[in-house]
Amino acid sequence: MQKQAITVNDPPQNTGYFYRVNFDSSTGLFTNYQQFYGGMNIRDFELASNSNNAIYIRGLNSPLGQQEGEILVKDLINLSTNPRLLNENATSTVSSKFTYLQKDRHGNLLVSSYSTDLNKNKYIHRISNQNSFASSYVETNFVYLNNYTIDVLPQVIPELIALPSCSLTPLTLNSETNTGSIVYENYSSITTEINYNITLSTQDVTLKANNYILLKPNTHIKSGSKLLAKIQPCSITQSKMSNLDEGKKNEQIKSNLDIIMYPNPSNSIVTFNSTEERINKITIVSLDGKQVINQLVNNLKEFQLNVSILENGIYIVSVETKEGKTHTQKLIKN
């Protein structure tokens, strides 16, 4: 979407049109402008995570008496399909009085509002089913801002972080004979065999695997020793989104250790246990970005969730606490 002309060779400025362009990375020039949709004033837009849909907000002076702040989705695969107006909470209530869109580092499409109607400006809202042209909608009141208000969402900054390359080989541990701290990492999975023992009270063992870590029955960790098990993605680089507040980012990373999810892998009941903060909501998303479970927990410190309805595979679990923090873990359904 073009908001202003950059050079004299650009097409006329019009914030109501989408363009498809070619980009030459060697020169930094845009060419071959192709206008493929227009006809309304667009305030803000984002692409769905699969890049097949453009989701945008109507701004002021919308034609035909349309309400300000309505949210629409445009199918970028079938360009002849007219945009679809999103409703709120999968009901017949038409979306209205929303302000800006912003994608967070977890891929959520977040929405802000300036409107005091129904206290919309005191919440961050979200686009549910963003990858679906037919069934996407606005999930209102996704995050409460503790009675504060928001209009423009803060800009997130892309950041590349280096991650270790890892072997596709699984690791099986039978016993520990070494002394001191031990770290096992860069494996596809780590499994402790039955009767695996950490026998020294001063020994620390760290397990880091790409897919899963399985502690079989009678795994014994002697009192005084420590065992840290962590799912660690392995690749050359991974793109993530973060804000400029490093203190808050480090606080969130540290707080991920406060919520325990077990057993993992699981084929039925998964227990979530929080040592400090109360759990408000649990969301499970498949690797293709589809939300498969969205469970309110009512601020409990321990909650059991039945995942038997899920197909076997790997899922991303986001646990939201009463304080508004989000803890993300990987779940294997078997």
Side-chain angles (χ1 to χ4, degrees), residues 2 11 57 83 121 128 146 151 211 230 234 247 253 268 275 314 327:
Q2 184 173 340
I57 299 178
N121 60 337
S128 288
N146 295 325
D151 185 357
N211 293 324
K230 182 178 181 182
C234 302
I253 294 173
S268 57
T275 57
I314 300 175
H327 311 254

Side-chain angles (χ1 to χ4, degrees), residues 48-80:
S49 59
N50 63 4
S51 298
N52 292 340
N53 297 320
I55 298 171
Y56 55 94
I57 299 178
R58 284 179 176 158
L60 294 168
N61 304 319
S62 296
L64 304 178
Q66 295 155 341
Q67 287 184 296
E68 176 191 359
E70 291 177 334
I71 299 180
L72 297 93
V73 57
K74 171 65 178 174
D75 190 337
L76 300 181
I77 303 301
N78 304 296
L79 295 180
S80 61

Side-chain angles (χ1 to χ4, degrees), residues 163-164 166 209-210 231-235 238 330:
L163 293 175
C166 64
N210 184 44
I231 301 300
Q232 175 176 282
C234 302
S235 63
Q238 175 179 328
K330 186 183 294 184

